[in-house]
């Protein structure tokens, strides 16, 4: 069995203890350790860092976003920034399915996060009307991904 958490921000008490025993993995929408908190792919696009749009598959930890990194999954570049950031979810799920199918998933070596690389940690309150309006004015002006940082672990690239 493989337990996968998606869209969670915090797991506590008995549920945490149960899931920890099951070697649960978590899907974080954003490239850790660069972007943590909420709406990470939005912030990567907003910061004009489209090369840091994607998802991170991590091991469950008490501090949800600080779990050891198993790998990153990134979508194919799309000029439409909204579509591009939404494909990060698809990249995560496709990558897990592919890695289970080819049996590489269970051979992954987790990597401790280097939190000194963090660019931004956001909360829901940071995502406000003014920020969204500014983003919508520039959403389709994003440039193609410049590079994939070499510190991304076992990166899975979603095919077009």
């Amino acid at each position: 069995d493989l337990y996968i958490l998606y869209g969670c921000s915090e797991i506590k008490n008995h549920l945490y203890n149960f899931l920890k025993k099951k070697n649960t993995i978590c899907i974080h929408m954003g490239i850790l350790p660069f972007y943590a908190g909420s709406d990470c792919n939005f912030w990567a696009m907003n910061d004009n860092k489209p090369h840091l749009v994607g998802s991170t598959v991590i091991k469950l930890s008490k501090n949800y976003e600080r779990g050891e990194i198993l790998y990153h999954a990134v979508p194919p570049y799309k000029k439409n920034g909204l579509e591009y950031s939404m494909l990060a979810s698809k990249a995560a799920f496709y990558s897990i399915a592919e890695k289970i199918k080819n049996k590489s998933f269970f051979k992954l070596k987790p990597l401790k996060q280097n939190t000194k690389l963090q660019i931004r940690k956001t909360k829901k309150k940071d995502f406000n009307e003014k920020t969204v309006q500014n983003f919508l004015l520039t959403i389709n002006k994003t440039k193609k991904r410049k590079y994939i940082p070499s510190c991304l672990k076992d990166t899975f690239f979603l095919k077009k």
Side-chain angles (χ1 to χ4, degrees), residues 1-3 16-25 60:
D1 291 341
L2 181 62
Y3 289 76
Y16 173 81
N17 293 333
F18 171 80
L19 291 172
K20 188 67 176 172
K21 289 177 189 172
K22 299 293 184 181
N23 292 317
T24 300
I25 62 165
L60 178 68

Side-chain angles (χ1 to χ4, degrees), residues 139-150:
I139 192 169
N140 290 321
K141 296 179 183 173
T142 59
K143 296 179 179 143
K144 191 166 184 168
R145 172 185 354 248
K146 296 175 191 167
Y147 62 92
I148 297 293
S150 60

Side-chain angles (χ1 to χ4, degrees), residues 15-63:
L15 181 58
Y16 173 81
N17 293 333
F18 171 80
L19 291 172
K20 188 67 176 172
K21 289 177 189 172
K22 299 293 184 181
N23 292 317
T24 300
I25 62 165
C26 307
I27 299 172
H28 170 75
M29 287 294 98
I31 300 291
L32 288 170
F34 303 102
Y35 284 89
S38 65
D39 308 304
C40 294
N41 287 321
F42 167 84
W43 290 108
M45 296 292 291
N46 190 68
D47 294 346
N48 198 24
K49 296 186 184 310
H51 57 283
L52 293 177
V53 169
S55 54
T56 309
V57 178
I58 57 176
K59 293 181 77 172
L60 178 68
S61 72
K62 280 210 183 230
N63 185 340

Side-chain angles (χ1 to χ4, degrees), residues 58-122:
I58 57 176
K59 293 181 77 172
L60 178 68
S61 72
K62 280 210 183 230
N63 185 340
Y64 186 75
E65 291 177 325
R66 293 294 173 228
E68 293 177 305
I69 296 172
L70 293 170
Y71 66 93
H72 295 94
V74 295
Y77 176 76
K78 297 286 183 183
K79 187 173 182 179
N80 180 308
L82 187 58
E83 180 183 5
Y84 179 46
S85 66
M86 292 291 109
L87 283 171
S89 294
K90 184 176 180 180
F93 287 106
Y94 275 53
S95 69
I96 291 170
E98 184 175 301
K99 288 178 180 294
I100 289 172
K101 186 177 180 181
N102 70 21
K103 299 183 183 353
S104 67
F105 188 86
F106 301 100
K107 296 175 186 174
L108 293 168
K109 303 281 188 239
L111 178 70
K112 187 174 177 169
Q113 291 188 49
N114 180 355
T115 57
K116 292 178 183 176
L117 296 173
Q118 189 174 80
I119 295 170
R120 189 189 283 262
K121 182 173 175 109
T122 52

